[in-house]
């Protein structure tokens, strides 16, 4: 057996008391974060936690909003809002449904000749999408619970599959919570590119952008240049004791 050196990996801290860290996947070219708005419900902060981790490990990430066939007009507007926030941060977003050939072709194009991790909450449709990418795979899928609006943790371990000779995907179990590993409170903003950029103009070098005078981040938040959703994620992370050293 040949063991290749690990190029990169996505790590997460368990949200239960064991405080274990798990390596989600290694030797990746990119990650696709699959998101649904309502079934299951998305928490915006979850997206940012994922992006911080993939940014820290230098794994290019694309957001795929799935189940587009299920959304009402207001929900499509909400997705458009999110798409704009992330597009401004150079993160591509796609809105797809597994039921449209052209959407599947778009994803096939995105993953061509690469190794791609599919990640996201349980029930967002990772395995379903992979089945459409290669119908021979026939991975197990299961409906989202009507009573809790949550997925049923159908995929139980991460596994790599071939789509064609040079294209591989990793299906992974739905993520429940997402703790961050090894980040100091005063360096978290560095993983938010727009906060990092603004921080260069903060009056104090050690500004953590909460209530310091002359804070450029707070200024840009007021003008809308920095999204309030993103700032809220940042503040929640700062206060998350499980996350922070
Ligand atoms: N309407 C609609 N339903 C979809 C779509 N994609 C997936 N689903 C449904 O969503 C449910 C969950 O799909 P799965 O593929 O099992 O979800 P998963 O992300 O692999 O879930 P875990 O393995 O638990 O992490 C299934 O009932 C799918 O049929 C889509 O594009 N449109
Ligand atoms: Mg699955
Ligand atoms: Zn500041």
């Amino acid at each position: 057996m040949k063991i290749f050196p690990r190029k990169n990996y996505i790590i997460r801290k368990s949200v239960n008391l064991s405080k274990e860290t798990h390596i989600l996947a290694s030797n990746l070219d990119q990650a696709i974060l699959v998101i649904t708005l309502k079934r299951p419900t998305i928490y915006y902060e979850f997206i940012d936690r994922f992006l911080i981790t993939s940014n820290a490990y230098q794994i290019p990430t694309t957001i795929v909003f799935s189940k587009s066939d299920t959304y009402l007009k207001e929900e499509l507007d909400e997705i458009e809002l999110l798409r704009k926030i992330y597009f401004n941060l150079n993160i591509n977003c796609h809105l797809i449904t597994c039921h449209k050939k052209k959407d599947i072709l778009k994803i096939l194009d995105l993953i061509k000749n690469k190794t791609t991790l599919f990640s996201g909450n349980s029930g967002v449709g990772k395995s379903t999408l992979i089945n459409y990418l290669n119908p021979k795979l026939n991975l197990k899928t299961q409906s989202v619970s009507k009573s809790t609006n949550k997925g049923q943790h159908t995929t139980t371990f991460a596994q790599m599959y071939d789509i064609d000779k040079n294209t591989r995907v990793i299906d992974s179990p739905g993520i429940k919570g997402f703790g961050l590993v090894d980040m100091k409170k005063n360096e978290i903003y560095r993983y938010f590119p727009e906060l990092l950029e603004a921080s260069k103009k903060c009056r104090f070098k050690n500004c953590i952008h909460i209530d310091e005078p002359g804070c450029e981040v707070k200024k840009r938040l007021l003008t809308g240049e920095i999204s309030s959703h993103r700032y809220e994620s940042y503040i929640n992370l700062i206060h998350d004791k499980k996350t922070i050293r």
Side-chain angles (χ1 to χ4, degrees):
M1 189 175 79
K2 198 166 170 194
I3 298 177
F4 295 94
R6 188 172 276 153
K7 197 166 65 183
N8 56 30
Y9 52 94
I10 282 205
I11 211 169
R12 73 178 164 121
K13 214 177 213 172
S14 169
V15 284
N16 62 29
L17 291 174
S18 71
K19 298 209 169 66
E20 295 165 72
T21 56
H22 300 278
I23 291 177
L24 278 187
S26 56
N27 284 333
L28 303 170
D29 293 311
Q30 62 174 351
I32 288 183
L33 179 60
V34 184
I35 298 288
T36 55
L37 217 54
K38 290 282 144 67
R39 296 199 61 201
T41 313
I42 180 60
Y43 298 99
Y44 294 162
E45 193 185 323
F46 174 81
I47 302 181
D48 295 319
R49 282 180 182 244
F50 190 91
L51 292 177
I52 286 171
T53 310
S54 58
N55 175 348
Y57 293 101
Q58 296 175 4
I59 297 163
T61 297
T62 299
I63 299 175
V64 167
F65 292 99
S66 193
K67 310 195 190 183
S68 69
D69 53 301
T70 66
Y71 298 126
L72 305 168
K73 166 85 174 63
E74 305 86 79
E75 293 165 344
L76 291 171
D77 290 347
E78 190 177 337
I79 289 176
E80 183 53 24
L81 222 92
L82 285 172
R83 202 189 59 79
K84 278 203 185 115
I85 293 174
Y86 292 106
F87 182 77
N88 284 336
L89 301 169
N90 293 320
I91 290 160
N92 279 322
C93 298
H94 299 281
L95 174 61
I96 68 147
T97 162
C98 288
H99 305 146
K100 273 194 192 149
K101 184 83 196 264
K102 98 173 176 351
D103 289 355
I104 299 300
L105 290 175
K106 193 155 59 178
I107 304 299
L108 278 170
D109 194 45
L110 192 69
I111 63 170
K112 191 154 187 56
N113 299 334
K114 290 183 173 155
T115 298
T116 305
L117 169 71
F118 283 73
S119 193
N121 293 135
S122 175
V124 293
K126 302 175 291 294
S127 306
T128 305
L129 177 54
I130 292 171
N131 280 338
Y132 275 93
L133 299 173
N134 180 353
K136 281 192 205 133
L137 289 174
N138 203 15
L139 305 178
K140 194 170 172 229
T141 67
Q142 203 174 185
S143 64
V144 173
S145 152
K146 283 219 164 67
S147 56
T148 63
N149 246 1
K150 287 187 173 150
Q152 310 199 53
H153 292 277
T154 311
T155 304
T156 50
F157 55 93
Q159 191 159 350
M160 190 171 326
Y161 302 98
D162 289 337
I163 299 300
D164 63 38
K165 205 167 125 254
N166 297 312
T167 307
R168 294 180 186 87
V169 297
I170 298 161
D171 190 14
S172 64
I175 302 174
K176 267 190 202 145
F178 206 89
L180 299 180
V181 182
D182 237 19
M183 282 184 190
K184 290 188 196 130
K185 187 171 170 171
N186 63 0
E187 62 186 25
I188 290 182
Y189 74 88
R190 297 183 164 275
Y191 295 96
F192 288 74
E194 72 278 45
L195 268 61
L196 177 61
E197 180 55 36
S199 73
K200 293 175 188 156
K201 289 195 175 165
C202 290
R203 187 179 305 161
F204 300 110
K205 248 201 147 68
N206 58 354
C207 187
I208 58 167
H209 327 298
I210 295 179
D211 49 20
E212 296 91 337
C215 174
E216 181 72 14
V217 169
K218 292 300 282 280
K219 202 170 119 198
R220 292 188 188 181
L221 182 66
L222 288 175
T223 62
E225 251 176 293
I226 285 179
S227 133
S228 53
H229 289 316
R230 293 272 295 171
Y231 185 73
E232 211 173 288
S233 293
Y234 169 67
I235 292 297
N236 289 343
L237 278 172
I238 289 263
H239 293 127
D240 182 351
K241 297 210 174 47
K242 285 200 292 296
T243 302
I244 310 303
R245 279 198 280 162

